[in-house]
Amino acid sequence: MSRKDITSGNWAVAEAMRQINPDVVAAYPITPSTDIPMRFSEFVADGLVDTNLVTVESEHSAISACLAASVSGARVMTASSANGVALMHEIFPIAASYRAPIVFGLVNRSLGAPINIHCDHSDSMAERDSGWIHIYCEDGQEVYDTMIMGVRIAEHKDVLLPVFVCQDGFITSHCFEPVEFMEDDEVQAFIGERDPLFPLLDIDNPVAYGSLALTDYYFEIKRQQVEAMKHVERVYKEVAQEFAKKTGRDYPVVDTYRTDDADHIIVIMSSAAGAAKDTVDSLRERGHKVGCMRIRLFRPFPAAAIVDALKDARSIAVLDRAASLGAPAPLFTEIKGALYDAGIHIPTNTYVYGLGGRDFFPHNAEEAFMDLINNKMSPEERYLGLRE
Amino acid sequence: MSSLKGWKDLPLATTVPASTSEEVQTGQWRSMRPVWNEAECIHCLQCWVQCPDNSIKASPEGKMTGIEYFFCKGCGICAAVCPKKAIDMRPESEFIEQ
Ligand code: SF4
Ligand code: SF4
């Protein structure tokens, strides 16, 4: 059984949280993720969840409270955006190192300055080495589904890592669209109970977290985190498969659209994939063999699946919604690295688009495709939708 | 180095079994070692009172009996308070071979 409703990306996260009924939510609202704790606090006030909602005085405190609750054995969720995410930064690597499976609704928004409330990926991309799993969603349905799958992936005993469930600020978070919800008991049956490894509240088996580890053990602990990341893709696939069986909605680590026979492929993330796929259809009608690949799982980086989808292309355009000022854009760098490691050399263009929420239209995707089709290739960074 | 564990044998999540300070060898920090000269000692127990790390050993009869180097971190308070100068602070380097 399921029900369909018109809802926003933010409300879809809040609804997933209501159904998950986490033990602790500590949050400090920030645009555009404000709706998530706001709506969830209504659920708390209405007695629809058993959650201990901790209203803190900053994002740093929010994630700190989440971490403490998580290592105590609680199931924990929160949400944030942009400079809120940046303020939390100090705690992110600690949460990953403590193997705290926090599920985090990250609503992508540009990092200031200038102050801007709209979407780009500069906030989450800045956290790509923090040791968290990163999953980027295209629409509200996927956000809802990923919050639920995220609990299982994060808490799996071979993983035990926190997860960012990313959606595009305003574009996805505030856009109302039809979303199919699972029943409450189906969600509960799917996620099960958390079985924490070293809960601080287990006073019969006391442990200490976060002891000093200098030249002797720090390196080994990081290596353990590397190992956990290596298990993510397998666990992700198991969970996604089980989810697909239940709901009919399938989420591979990379989402390929008409790439099988494509000569030219755009690689993109999140909501902009919609415009790119529309452009694939219109260019196909004009006889161009083009396709689109959307990266869903960004950390760990699913290099094999990416190479598999790209290996027969003649040229590639990687579209980044974040710049790495002074170096090639992050997704572009990773895609090139994956191809290089596979011994494949395909000319690849790099485009930055959509910074500060600048709209991304089908004609922007077409511009990138036409560069590929007309063999206008170079490693020089280009910009879509920018005024010169 | 050989006594240190590899990453596969370490408990996960930075955890260590919680324990009391009884199991923590603060003596590892010591660079100066208090050496007790029993012949000079009058068993006033000033050192026992002042030692911040419970490292002065005393008998139930109230006699100073020695120093617990597992915990003694070499702060030198005992030597400073001793009215008979019966405790001598010596560099750890002198004891390396012992
Ligand atoms: S040196 Fe300091 S720690 Fe060691 S026995 Fe003397 S007072 Fe105690
Ligand atoms: S302070 Fe000096 S004299 Fe007094 S008990 Fe300690 S070592 Fe002996």
Side-chain angles (χ1 to χ4, degrees):
Chain A
M1 277 296 290
S2 61
R3 68 203 150 85
K4 221 171 199 172
D5 206 349
I6 301 290
T7 197
S8 71
N10 275 342
W11 284 14
V13 171
E15 179 63 2
M17 288 166 70
R18 183 190 66 73
Q19 295 181 304
I20 290 164
N21 195 5
D23 301 304
V24 173
V25 168
Y28 188 82
I30 181 170
T31 303
S33 58
T34 307
D35 268 352
I36 297 172
M38 212 166 87
R39 192 154 173 93
F40 189 75
S41 68
E42 291 172 10
F43 297 148
V44 175
D46 292 345
L48 300 179
V49 287
D50 310 306
T51 307
N52 185 348
L53 177 68
V54 191
T55 50
V56 286
E57 77 283 11
S58 76
E59 286 88 354
H60 191 279
S61 304
I63 192 67
S64 300
C66 285
L67 173 56
S70 184
V71 294
S72 299
R75 183 170 271 158
V76 181
M77 308 182 87
T78 189
S80 194
S81 296
N83 294 51
V85 170
L87 185 56
M88 290 175 168
H89 169 76
E90 186 195 13
I91 306 302
F92 287 150
I94 303 175
S97 201
Y98 286 11
R99 311 296 290 275
I102 300 162
V103 178
F104 191 120
L106 196 155
V107 183
N108 283 114
R109 166 185 154 186
S110 319
L111 280 177
I115 292 182
N116 179 307
I117 57 170
H118 290 285
C119 173
D120 67 33
H121 299 163
S122 52
D123 50 1
S124 56
M125 278 296 164
E127 302 305 334
R128 62 191 186 273
D129 295 333
S130 290
W132 287 49
I133 298 166
H134 292 226
I135 303 174
Y136 286 78
C137 302
E138 183 175 345
D139 56 25
Q141 181 71 62
E142 187 176 337
V143 170
Y144 169 78
D145 292 340
T146 306
M147 290 298 288
I148 294 164
M149 286 188 280
V151 172
R152 283 277 303 277
I153 298 165
E155 291 179 4
H156 193 285
K157 66 174 179 19
D158 294 340
V159 174
L160 287 173
L161 290 172
V163 54
F164 291 126
V165 177
C166 303
Q167 60 172 312
D168 282 350
F170 289 107
I171 303 165
T172 310
S173 67
H174 285 62
C175 172
F176 279 74
E177 54 186 331
V179 173
E180 196 170 298
F181 298 105
M182 295 163 79
E183 294 299 329
D184 292 1
D185 55 352
E186 286 176 325
V187 172
Q188 281 299 321
F190 187 80
I191 59 174
E193 284 274 316
R194 183 178 171 203
D195 179 19
L197 190 59
F198 297 119
L200 279 178
L201 292 180
D202 178 5
I203 52 172
D204 295 328
N205 299 290
V207 294
Y209 276 85
S211 309
L212 192 70
L214 300 177
T215 51
D216 50 359
Y217 279 122
Y218 183 91
F219 204 168
E220 278 70 24
I221 287 164
K222 291 299 126 185
R223 178 64 183 83
Q224 289 180 327
Q225 291 176 246
V226 171
E227 192 66 11
M229 275 290 182
K230 287 186 180 180
H231 297 154
V232 171
E233 220 178 309
R234 171 180 56 79
V235 170
Y236 174 103
K237 283 176 184 159
E238 287 167 13
V239 172
Q241 212 165 36
E242 196 182 317
F243 191 82
K245 233 183 256 165
K246 281 231 149 20
T247 63
R249 296 188 292 276
D250 192 15
Y251 294 103
V253 291
V254 295
D255 169 24
T256 52
Y257 186 72
R258 305 184 80 169
T259 54
D260 276 356
D261 64 338
D263 290 332
H264 313 290
I265 297 176
I266 275 185
V267 182
I268 201 162
M269 296 166 89
S270 297
S271 66
K277 290 179 204 170
D278 270 3
T279 311
V280 166
D281 290 344
S282 62
L283 286 174
R284 285 245 173 203
E285 274 168 33
R286 283 148 57 187
H288 299 293
K289 286 165 79 177
V290 293
C292 173
M293 178 172 76
R294 180 174 65 92
I295 309 294
R296 195 172 125 73
L297 181 65
F298 181 70
R299 280 289 180 279
F301 197 66
I306 289 167
V307 168
D308 192 52
L310 294 178
K311 62 182 187 313
D312 299 320
R314 277 169 42 201
S315 62
I316 299 165
V318 181
L319 274 58
D320 274 90
R321 201 166 198 147
S324 177
L325 307 173
L331 182 59
F332 172 60
T333 307
E334 309 257 348
I335 296 286
K336 270 197 306 186
L339 291 169
Y340 180 92
D341 289 345
I344 295 170
H345 183 248
I346 301 171
T348 303
N349 280 348
T350 167
Y351 301 83
V352 170
Y353 74 98
L355 299 191
R358 179 67 47 86
D359 277 329
F360 179 75
F361 296 104
H363 69 79
N364 299 125
E366 183 168 331
E367 184 183 331
F369 270 131
M370 291 319 290
D371 284 346
L372 304 186
I373 290 163
N374 295 324
N375 200 28
K376 281 202 237 161
M377 306 301 295
S378 93
E380 193 74 20
E381 189 166 277
R382 304 174 208 200
Y383 307 93
L384 297 169
L386 175 77
R387 294 184 304 278
E388 288 299 329
Chain B
M1 285 295 279
S2 56
S3 62
L4 294 175
K5 287 183 174 144
W7 66 269
K8 291 176 186 165
D9 298 322
L10 277 185
L12 290 184
T14 76
T15 56
V16 289
S19 64
T20 68
S21 51
E22 280 175 12
E23 289 169 44
V24 180
Q25 191 183 354
T26 46
Q28 280 180 337
W29 309 349
R30 192 175 55 243
S31 60
M32 298 290 281
R33 180 181 295 203
V35 178
W36 179 44
N37 181 353
E38 193 172 354
E40 292 295 315
C41 177
I42 56 168
H43 301 283
C44 68
L45 294 188
Q46 287 293 317
C47 56
W48 179 83
V49 170
Q50 298 294 339
C51 172
D53 285 292
N54 254 350
S55 303
I56 301 293
K57 296 192 278 193
S59 68
E61 296 74 42
K63 300 273 187 216
M64 153 88 167
T65 59
I67 297 168
E68 175 52 70
Y69 293 121
F70 186 83
F71 296 118
C72 164
K73 58 181 160 39
C75 67
I77 291 173
C78 52
V81 299
C82 175
K84 300 297 288 179
K85 300 211 179 319
I87 294 177
D88 191 20
M89 296 303 292
R90 308 253 296 274
E92 269 307 310
S93 54
E94 288 181 16
F95 303 92
I96 278 172
E97 298 309 320
Q98 292 177 17

